[in-house]
Amino acid sequence: MRVLAEVHARDGYPVNWPDQPGEWLSRGPLLGSWVAELEGGLVGHVSLSQGGEDDVAPTLWSERNGATRGMTAVVSRLFVAPQARGHRIGALLIGQAVEEARRRGLHPVLDVVASDTAAAALYERLGWELMATVEQRWSPHRTVAIRCYAAPS
């Protein structure tokens, strides 16, 4: 939770700080979670799960490919400690999640807040396809732009 708090303070991720960060990291139908260590310290995290109601990317990918949402896996909860960036940790974590999704016969997808330009740049460098940018209502008074990506085939 310490690393997540550092990332939130510096980058604003997650956008809405959870009341129970540990539960937030493990919430949903998880297929797996991985952490990264550097010099003996925890410096990153990623999860892979089945898509939830609020995940847009699984629906977009499924509609485009004539498949069901159940044929996707959502990469989420990716973060890397600010002091550990520049070591390709984010790419390695994403690679691990993608490998597990493919091992299960699922296509990896993800949603990211459009204002998180650093994350979007990472996904695009790794060859992820931007399927769409959509507006998502997070509360009665807040709408957020979400970029929906699919991993390269």
Side-chain angles (χ1 to χ4, degrees), residues 50-100:
Q50 292 291 325
E53 289 179 15
D54 296 336
D55 295 310
V56 180
T59 300
L60 289 173
W61 184 87
S62 299
E63 289 172 354
R64 287 181 175 200
N65 292 279
T68 65
R69 282 177 54 99
M71 294 183 72
T72 64
V74 177
V75 176
S76 63
R77 312 297 194 244
L78 172 67
F79 58 92
V80 175
Q83 71 276 12
R85 294 178 185 165
H87 295 277
R88 296 196 35 84
I89 292 168
L92 291 169
L93 286 166
I94 291 170
Q96 183 64 47
V98 166
E99 183 179 311
E100 178 63 16

Side-chain angles (χ1 to χ4, degrees), residues 100-116:
E100 178 63 16
R102 294 198 192 286
R103 188 186 70 73
R104 292 171 176 260
L106 304 173
H107 193 88
V109 297
L110 61 85
D111 295 334
V112 63
V113 177
S115 61
D116 192 346

Side-chain angles (χ1 to χ4, degrees), residues 57 60-61 64 109-114 120-121 123-134 145-152:
L60 289 173
W61 184 87
R64 287 181 175 200
V109 297
L110 61 85
D111 295 334
V112 63
V113 177
Y123 306 136
E124 291 173 13
R125 273 194 314 274
L126 295 175
W128 286 61
E129 174 197 358
L130 176 63
M131 295 184 289
T133 301
V134 300
I146 303 292
R147 295 172 64 95
C148 304
Y149 286 92

Side-chain angles (χ1 to χ4, degrees), residues 39-59:
E39 298 174 1
L42 183 69
V43 295
H45 176 275
V46 70
S47 291
L48 184 70
S49 64
Q50 292 291 325
E53 289 179 15
D54 296 336
D55 295 310
V56 180
T59 300

